[in-house]
Amino acid sequence: MNVIEWLKVILLGIIEGITEWLPISSTGHMILVNELVQLHVSDEFMEMFLVVIQLGAILAVVTLYFSKLWPFTTPEKGWIKKETWSLWFKVLVAVMPAAIIGIPFDDKIDALFYNYQTVAITLIVYGVLFIILENRNRDRRPTVKSFQQLTYPMAFFIGAFQVLALIPGTSRSGATILGAMLLGTSRFVAAEFSFFLAIPVMFGASLLKIVKFGFAFTGTEITILLVGMAVAFVVSVLAIRFLMSYIKKRDFKAFGWYRIVLGILVLAYFLVLE
């Protein structure tokens, strides 16, 4: 591979690192970028790469929130961090809807909905929903300000919203944040729970794609995966820190407007091509 191809890999890693955690749909951006900047690899490898690159993004969450996610402590404190175990059980409850629907229907969902029309519509629809929700919450105070206040039924409901993200363009983080805020969580709790929920979901999706692709990677393909994941990791760290700092003083409406504009651009771009 020449230098240009490696720059494309780096660009894809940057796009993944930014869009995976901001509620703006990584799939929508990847479809556009892949149209404009096509990596010279097989279609099968590219499909797998766009999912497995998420492992770098997952590692960023684990690194940034390790102390909150690690469920063990010192012998003096009893070895077990009960609040962390409770958080993980809530994450597992929230994962169930996506696992039940996503695993058996993954290929069918891609075949039906992986097209620019669906991506554009979902970008716009969820952008409008973010604006409506933030306008509704303008004079309301969140009732769930910590993970201790987040109940198991709430976690399951948020997980049900995550199922919507199986449709390309929805945004996994966007769907879970919307679901959490509808239940009355603060933006911080909604965003962080979205991060934590991504760990088993994205790891499972990546493992599934690798198994389907097979393990017969060439040396170049392995290097592409490692470079893409490394770039996604670094950029994800920056994106997560930016988002958590941003929502201290601002709401999600700017992301809603961004989604609407991007959805219109996706429609316009492909309609012109046709």
Side-chain angles (χ1 to χ4, degrees):
M1 280 181 41
N2 58 37
V3 174
I4 298 299
E5 291 301 298
W6 287 113
L7 289 176
K8 292 178 184 177
V9 174
I10 292 170
L11 176 62
L12 290 168
I14 292 171
I15 298 296
E16 166 61 27
I18 294 173
T19 59
E20 188 60 53
W21 306 112
L22 305 184
I24 54 177
S25 175
S26 59
T27 304
H29 288 79
M30 286 298 190
I31 285 178
L32 270 182
V33 172
N34 196 41
E35 281 291 321
L36 300 171
V37 184
Q38 293 187 351
L39 192 61
H40 291 160
V41 294
S42 68
D43 291 341
E44 293 78 12
F45 177 81
M46 193 63 192
E47 180 184 348
M48 182 272 301
F49 170 78
L50 292 177
V51 176
V52 176
I53 195 177
Q54 297 172 344
L55 290 174
I58 294 173
L59 185 58
V61 173
V62 173
T63 302
L64 288 173
Y65 291 96
F66 185 81
S67 60
K68 185 176 284 190
L69 294 172
W70 183 247
F72 301 106
T73 185
T74 60
E76 296 79 18
K77 296 182 180 179
W79 289 108
I80 301 296
K81 291 161 67 175
K82 293 182 179 179
E83 290 183 356
T84 303
W85 279 101
S86 174
L87 171 61
W88 273 114
F89 285 134
K90 290 169 185 174
V91 167
L92 291 176
V93 167
V95 166
M96 289 172 59
I100 292 169
I101 296 175
I103 293 174
F105 298 108
D106 178 58
D107 290 336
K108 291 183 179 178
I109 291 171
D110 277 353
L112 284 172
F113 298 113
Y114 200 89
N115 54 69
Y116 80 87
Q117 296 96 330
T118 299
V119 170
I121 290 169
T122 52
L123 279 168
I124 294 169
V125 168
Y126 283 89
V128 171
L129 288 176
F130 262 115
I131 294 169
I132 291 173
L133 179 61
E134 287 291 11
N135 286 336
R136 190 202 73 161
N137 288 348
R138 184 182 302 156
D139 300 318
R140 299 187 183 191
R141 292 184 177 275
T143 56
V144 179
K145 299 178 181 179
S146 69
F147 290 112
Q148 289 73 33
Q149 294 176 307
L150 187 71
T151 65
Y152 285 97
M154 286 180 176
F156 186 84
F157 183 82
I158 295 170
F161 260 79
Q162 184 175 236
V163 172
L164 298 172
L166 294 172
I167 299 175
T170 299
S171 169
R172 188 204 54 78
S173 62
T176 52
I177 288 171
L178 272 174
M181 289 178 64
L182 279 172
L183 292 174
T185 71
S186 68
R187 294 187 188 96
F188 258 74
V189 170
E192 287 194 346
F193 195 66
S194 170
F195 299 158
F196 304 155
L197 191 52
I199 297 173
V201 170
M202 290 163 61
F203 181 81
S206 298
L207 182 61
L208 188 63
K209 288 294 184 183
I210 291 174
V211 170
K212 288 181 178 180
F213 180 80
F215 293 89
F217 295 105
T218 66
T220 300
E221 288 173 340
I222 291 174
T223 307
I224 290 172
L225 284 175
L226 291 176
V227 170
M229 286 190 287
V231 174
F233 167 78
V234 173
V235 177
S236 289
V237 169
L238 299 175
I240 291 169
R241 286 178 173 170
F242 162 77
L243 180 63
M244 299 313 291
S245 174
Y246 179 88
I247 60 177
K248 285 181 180 178
K249 298 179 180 179
R250 301 174 181 86
D251 58 28
F252 285 106
K253 282 196 288 188
F255 297 110
W257 286 113
Y258 178 86
R259 290 178 64 100
I260 292 170
V261 172
L262 180 62
I264 293 171
L265 288 175
V266 170
L267 275 178
Y269 175 80
F270 285 99
L271 286 174
V272 169
L273 286 183
E274 289 182 349

